[in-house]
Amino acid sequence: MTRHSVPLGSVMVAIALIGVVAPCAAAVSISGTVKVTGAASAADVVVYIQQAPGTFTPPAKPIEMDQKQMQFIPRVLPVVAGTTVKFLNSDPTPHNVFSPDFEKYNLGTWPQGQNKDYAFTKCAKFPCAYTQLCRVHPEMEGYVVVLQNPYFAVTDKTGHYEIEGVPPGSYTVGVWHWKTKAQPKPVTVDAAKPATVDFILAR
Ligand SMILES: [Cu+2]
């Protein structure tokens, strides 16, 4: 019986070797803290790798941005170029979605439970921050930030962020905030050694 000719032991060794070898080429994380001086919250800052080698495929399924309790949720949505965003309406009142930035678009106005898709395929120079506005409610504001690669994260309320799955290499890490700026920072990511990059944004 040839199918029993490979001893179980050698299979186990092979599995063990794969387990040892894989982490060497494995991606690691870049994490850190962003301080926004003078702001109540350090949330919703996009931290991203400016340029990563290779081409990147957008997610097969649209990424959702809701309009709920008169707010865009999430308020800041980073996406890789080519991503389709599904704009939902979870409020009992009709909402509109338009952007005055870059190629400009107006998706119209629609009631609760309906949605509209928009594909972000036209960003020429990253990052492209598209302000999301609603003609019905001028106080509403959100942002879709289109990036070159999928290595990005958004800060939580404490300013913490973590970009997972970054391949080893040397990069420039940028930050995006709707009101203020900070200089990008260089970082080298080694295999099996997570990197830390902190930023201070002055308002
Ligand atoms: Cu609205």
Side-chain angles (χ1 to χ4, degrees):
M1 294 287 277
T2 48
R3 60 186 289 247
H4 290 140
S5 63
V6 178
L8 184 61
S10 63
V11 174
M12 298 294 275
V13 168
I15 290 169
L17 280 175
I18 290 165
V20 170
V21 171
C24 296
V28 290
S29 70
I30 301 174
S31 63
T33 303
V34 178
K35 281 198 178 113
V36 186
T37 53
S41 169
D44 291 332
V45 182
V46 180
V47 185
Y48 62 97
I49 288 177
Q50 286 190 336
Q51 185 82 29
T55 52
F56 302 96
T57 318
K61 277 182 68 180
I63 307 291
E64 296 183 351
M65 180 177 254
D66 201 358
Q67 288 173 290
K68 195 174 183 179
Q69 293 175 336
M70 311 298 258
Q71 289 183 324
F72 285 98
I73 298 175
R75 180 158 188 238
V76 175
L77 179 65
V79 298
V80 64
T83 295
T84 296
V85 174
K86 186 179 285 296
F87 291 95
L88 310 172
N89 180 1
S90 293
D91 278 338
T93 176
H95 284 298
N96 159 258
V97 174
F98 78 97
S99 178
D101 300 316
F102 305 102
E103 74 270 22
K104 301 177 175 57
Y105 51 81
N106 187 342
L107 305 184
T109 303
W110 62 92
Q112 186 173 41
Q114 293 187 14
N115 56 72
K116 291 258 172 83
D117 287 356
Y118 188 79
F120 290 87
T121 58
K122 296 185 175 71
C123 180
K125 187 172 178 286
F126 302 103
C128 291
Y130 289 79
T131 313
Q132 309 301 310
L133 299 168
C134 170
R135 286 206 193 283
V136 189
H137 309 103
E139 71 279 13
M140 292 179 68
E141 199 168 285
Y143 302 91
V144 174
V145 183
V146 183
L147 300 164
Q148 181 260 345
N149 61 73
Y151 307 120
F152 53 72
V154 179
T155 54
D156 63 19
K157 267 183 280 182
T158 67
H160 179 77
Y161 76 91
E162 180 164 5
I163 306 171
E164 291 177 333
V166 181
S170 289
Y171 305 104
T172 304
V173 182
V175 279
W176 181 90
H177 184 276
W178 58 93
K179 216 168 194 174
T180 181
K181 287 182 177 175
Q183 284 295 315
K185 287 188 175 180
V187 67
T188 296
V189 178
D190 293 327
K193 189 167 159 261
T196 304
V197 184
D198 298 329
F199 291 93
I200 296 175
L201 305 189
R203 291 191 74 170

